[in-house]
Short mmCIF file of all heavy atoms in Angstrom, two decimals:
data_model
loop_
_atom_site.label_atom_id
_atom_site.label_comp_id
_atom_site.label_asym_id
_atom_site.label_seq_id
_atom_site.Cartn_x
_atom_site.Cartn_y
_atom_site.Cartn_z
N SER A 169 9.55 -11.09 13.22
CA SER A 169 9.37 -12.54 13.24
C SER A 169 9.15 -13.07 14.64
O SER A 169 8.69 -14.21 14.82
CB SER A 169 10.59 -13.22 12.60
OG SER A 169 10.68 -12.89 11.23
N SER A 170 9.47 -12.27 15.65
CA SER A 170 9.27 -12.71 17.04
C SER A 170 7.83 -12.47 17.51
O SER A 170 7.47 -12.88 18.62
CB SER A 170 10.24 -11.98 17.97
OG SER A 170 9.95 -10.58 18.01
N LEU A 171 7.03 -11.81 16.69
CA LEU A 171 5.64 -11.52 17.06
C LEU A 171 4.75 -12.65 16.57
O LEU A 171 4.48 -12.78 15.37
CB LEU A 171 5.20 -10.18 16.46
CG LEU A 171 6.07 -8.97 16.82
CD1 LEU A 171 5.50 -7.70 16.19
CD2 LEU A 171 6.19 -8.80 18.32
N ASP A 172 4.28 -13.48 17.49
CA ASP A 172 3.52 -14.68 17.12
C ASP A 172 2.26 -14.35 16.33
O ASP A 172 1.85 -15.13 15.46
CB ASP A 172 3.15 -15.47 18.37
CG ASP A 172 4.35 -16.12 19.04
OD1 ASP A 172 5.40 -16.25 18.37
OD2 ASP A 172 4.26 -16.48 20.23
N PHE A 173 1.63 -13.20 16.61
CA PHE A 173 0.37 -12.90 15.94
C PHE A 173 0.57 -12.52 14.47
O PHE A 173 -0.40 -12.38 13.73
CB PHE A 173 -0.40 -11.80 16.67
CG PHE A 173 0.34 -10.49 16.80
CD1 PHE A 173 0.34 -9.56 15.78
CD2 PHE A 173 1.03 -10.17 17.96
CE1 PHE A 173 1.01 -8.34 15.89
CE2 PHE A 173 1.70 -8.96 18.10
CZ PHE A 173 1.70 -8.05 17.06
N LEU A 174 1.84 -12.38 14.04
CA LEU A 174 2.11 -12.16 12.62
C LEU A 174 2.52 -13.43 11.90
O LEU A 174 2.83 -13.40 10.71
CB LEU A 174 3.21 -11.09 12.44
CG LEU A 174 2.83 -9.66 12.81
CD1 LEU A 174 3.99 -8.72 12.52
CD2 LEU A 174 1.59 -9.19 12.08
N ASN A 175 2.55 -14.55 12.63
CA ASN A 175 2.83 -15.83 11.99
C ASN A 175 1.71 -16.18 11.03
O ASN A 175 0.56 -15.76 11.19
CB ASN A 175 2.99 -16.94 13.03
CG ASN A 175 4.26 -16.79 13.84
OD1 ASN A 175 5.18 -16.08 13.45
ND2 ASN A 175 4.31 -17.47 14.99
N SER A 176 2.04 -17.00 10.04
CA SER A 176 1.08 -17.31 8.98
C SER A 176 -0.20 -17.95 9.51
O SER A 176 -1.28 -17.72 8.97
CB SER A 176 1.73 -18.22 7.94
OG SER A 176 2.77 -17.53 7.27
N ASP A 177 -0.08 -18.75 10.57
CA ASP A 177 -1.28 -19.42 11.07
C ASP A 177 -2.12 -18.54 11.99
O ASP A 177 -3.15 -18.96 12.49
CB ASP A 177 -0.90 -20.71 11.81
CG ASP A 177 0.03 -20.45 13.01
OD1 ASP A 177 0.48 -19.29 13.17
OD2 ASP A 177 0.31 -21.40 13.75
N ALA A 178 -1.69 -17.29 12.20
CA ALA A 178 -2.39 -16.40 13.12
C ALA A 178 -3.04 -15.20 12.45
O ALA A 178 -4.04 -14.67 12.94
CB ALA A 178 -1.43 -15.92 14.21
N VAL A 179 -2.48 -14.73 11.34
CA VAL A 179 -3.00 -13.52 10.71
C VAL A 179 -4.35 -13.79 10.06
O VAL A 179 -4.58 -14.89 9.52
CB VAL A 179 -2.02 -12.94 9.67
CG1 VAL A 179 -0.78 -12.39 10.35
CG2 VAL A 179 -1.62 -14.00 8.64
N PRO A 180 -5.29 -12.85 10.10
CA PRO A 180 -6.65 -13.10 9.61
C PRO A 180 -6.77 -13.26 8.10
O PRO A 180 -7.77 -13.78 7.62
CB PRO A 180 -7.43 -11.88 10.10
CG PRO A 180 -6.40 -10.81 10.27
CD PRO A 180 -5.17 -11.51 10.71
N TRP A 181 -5.77 -12.82 7.36
CA TRP A 181 -5.85 -12.84 5.91
C TRP A 181 -5.19 -14.08 5.29
O TRP A 181 -5.21 -14.25 4.07
CB TRP A 181 -5.19 -11.59 5.33
CG TRP A 181 -3.80 -11.36 5.84
CD1 TRP A 181 -2.64 -11.99 5.44
CD2 TRP A 181 -3.42 -10.46 6.88
NE1 TRP A 181 -1.57 -11.53 6.16
CE2 TRP A 181 -2.01 -10.58 7.05
CE3 TRP A 181 -4.12 -9.54 7.67
CZ2 TRP A 181 -1.30 -9.83 7.99
CZ3 TRP A 181 -3.41 -8.80 8.61
CH2 TRP A 181 -2.02 -8.95 8.77
N TYR A 182 -4.60 -14.95 6.11
CA TYR A 182 -3.76 -16.01 5.53
C TYR A 182 -4.56 -17.04 4.74
O TYR A 182 -4.06 -17.59 3.76
CB TYR A 182 -2.95 -16.70 6.62
CG TYR A 182 -1.87 -17.60 6.04
CD1 TYR A 182 -0.83 -17.06 5.29
CD2 TYR A 182 -1.91 -18.98 6.23
CE1 TYR A 182 0.15 -17.88 4.75
CE2 TYR A 182 -0.94 -19.80 5.70
CZ TYR A 182 0.10 -19.24 4.96
OH TYR A 182 1.07 -20.05 4.42
N SER A 183 -5.79 -17.32 5.14
CA SER A 183 -6.58 -18.30 4.39
C SER A 183 -6.81 -17.82 2.96
O SER A 183 -6.79 -18.61 2.01
CB SER A 183 -7.91 -18.57 5.09
OG SER A 183 -8.68 -17.38 5.19
N LEU A 184 -7.03 -16.51 2.80
CA LEU A 184 -7.19 -15.97 1.45
C LEU A 184 -5.87 -16.03 0.68
O LEU A 184 -5.85 -16.36 -0.50
CB LEU A 184 -7.71 -14.53 1.50
CG LEU A 184 -7.86 -13.85 0.14
CD1 LEU A 184 -8.83 -14.62 -0.76
CD2 LEU A 184 -8.34 -12.41 0.31
N VAL A 185 -4.77 -15.72 1.36
CA VAL A 185 -3.45 -15.80 0.72
C VAL A 185 -3.22 -17.21 0.18
O VAL A 185 -2.78 -17.40 -0.96
CB VAL A 185 -2.33 -15.40 1.70
CG1 VAL A 185 -0.95 -15.70 1.11
CG2 VAL A 185 -2.43 -13.92 2.05
N GLN A 186 -3.53 -18.22 0.99
CA GLN A 186 -3.37 -19.60 0.54
C GLN A 186 -4.32 -19.94 -0.61
O GLN A 186 -3.94 -20.70 -1.52
CB GLN A 186 -3.59 -20.56 1.70
CG GLN A 186 -2.41 -20.67 2.65
CD GLN A 186 -2.57 -21.84 3.60
OE1 GLN A 186 -3.57 -21.97 4.26
NE2 GLN A 186 -1.55 -22.70 3.64
N SER A 187 -5.52 -19.39 -0.56
CA SER A 187 -6.45 -19.65 -1.65
C SER A 187 -5.94 -19.07 -2.96
O SER A 187 -6.20 -19.62 -4.03
CB SER A 187 -7.83 -19.05 -1.31
OG SER A 187 -8.40 -19.70 -0.20
N ILE A 188 -5.20 -17.98 -2.88
CA ILE A 188 -4.67 -17.33 -4.08
C ILE A 188 -3.39 -18.00 -4.55
O ILE A 188 -3.23 -18.28 -5.75
CB ILE A 188 -4.40 -15.83 -3.80
CG1 ILE A 188 -5.72 -15.10 -3.55
CG2 ILE A 188 -3.64 -15.19 -4.97
CD1 ILE A 188 -5.54 -13.68 -3.03
N LEU A 189 -2.48 -18.29 -3.63
CA LEU A 189 -1.15 -18.77 -3.99
C LEU A 189 -0.97 -20.28 -3.86
O LEU A 189 -0.03 -20.84 -4.40
CB LEU A 189 -0.09 -18.07 -3.13
CG LEU A 189 0.05 -16.56 -3.30
CD1 LEU A 189 1.10 -16.02 -2.34
CD2 LEU A 189 0.39 -16.19 -4.74
N GLY A 190 -1.86 -20.93 -3.10
CA GLY A 190 -1.74 -22.37 -2.93
C GLY A 190 -1.26 -22.75 -1.55
O GLY A 190 -0.78 -21.90 -0.77
N PRO A 191 -1.35 -24.02 -1.19
CA PRO A 191 -1.01 -24.47 0.16
C PRO A 191 0.47 -24.40 0.49
O PRO A 191 0.85 -24.47 1.67
CB PRO A 191 -1.51 -25.92 0.18
CG PRO A 191 -1.50 -26.34 -1.25
CD PRO A 191 -1.86 -25.13 -2.03
N ASP A 192 1.33 -24.28 -0.52
CA ASP A 192 2.77 -24.23 -0.26
C ASP A 192 3.27 -22.80 -0.07
O ASP A 192 4.47 -22.52 -0.18
CB ASP A 192 3.54 -24.90 -1.41
CG ASP A 192 3.31 -24.20 -2.75
OD1 ASP A 192 2.35 -23.41 -2.86
OD2 ASP A 192 4.10 -24.44 -3.69
#
Side-chain angles (χ1 to χ4, degrees):
S169 295
S170 66
L171 304 181
D172 291 341
F173 59 83
L174 291 183
N175 290 342
S176 294
D177 59 353
V179 291
W181 52 79
Y182 192 64
S183 60
L184 178 59
V185 171
Q186 282 192 307
S187 295
I188 294 170
L189 296 178
D192 61 344

